[in-house]
Amino acid sequence: MKFFLIAGAVNALLSVAFGAFGAHMLEGRVADKYLDTWQTAVQYQMFHSIGLMVVAILMSSSLLGPLGSLSWAGYLMLAGIVIFSGSLYVLSLTGISILGAITPIGGLAFIAGWILLIIAATKAL
């Protein structure tokens, strides 16, 4: 529970910092398409940071408790942030287009994480 709460908070902080960096430091320095890609990475990082904090809260013994599917949901969301958002950040800064092939793996991790969150909720309720 503590791990996912901290991971969510750290990623939310990073998302705000990266968003500000993109808005203030990248504008005019990278092509508009890469600035849009950067913003997509920031948005998905923030969405899934909140998802990590939801997982942490649900792991409380007064709610759903420490279910294995909840843990996996959190780990997959975290992996998705690293792979999806991370690949988009690097793509935006470097223009290395092959990184676009890695991004969907992170997207699949996000989807699997949300599915496992649904499974945990249906098992516990």
Side-chain angles (χ1 to χ4, degrees):
M1 178 178 156
K2 183 178 177 181
F3 173 77
F4 292 123
L5 188 57
I6 292 169
V10 166
N11 274 284
L13 170 101
L14 290 173
S15 179
V16 172
F18 290 164
F21 176 80
H24 299 290
M25 298 301 291
L26 294 182
E27 192 168 6
R29 295 184 178 166
V30 299
D32 286 344
K33 73 176 184 174
Y34 291 130
L35 200 53
D36 290 341
T37 300
W38 185 273
Q39 281 307 111
T40 298
V42 167
Q43 288 175 339
Y44 276 78
Q45 183 173 5
M46 182 57 82
F47 295 151
H48 291 87
S49 298
I50 295 167
L52 285 169
M53 290 184 275
V54 167
V55 166
I57 292 165
L58 290 175
M59 290 179 87
S60 166
S61 59
S62 62
L63 293 173
L64 300 183
L67 298 171
S69 52
L70 270 179
S71 290
W72 274 105
Y75 289 123
L76 285 166
M77 286 184 193
L78 187 56
I81 290 170
V82 171
I83 298 167
F84 183 91
S85 294
S87 66
L88 291 181
Y89 290 135
V90 175
L91 170 64
S92 297
L93 294 173
T94 66
I96 299 171
S97 60
I98 192 69
L99 292 170
I102 297 169
T103 306
I105 297 167
L108 289 173
F110 285 151
I111 292 167
W114 288 110
I115 289 170
L116 286 171
L117 182 57
I118 292 166
I119 290 169
T122 56
K123 280 183 180 179
L125 300 176

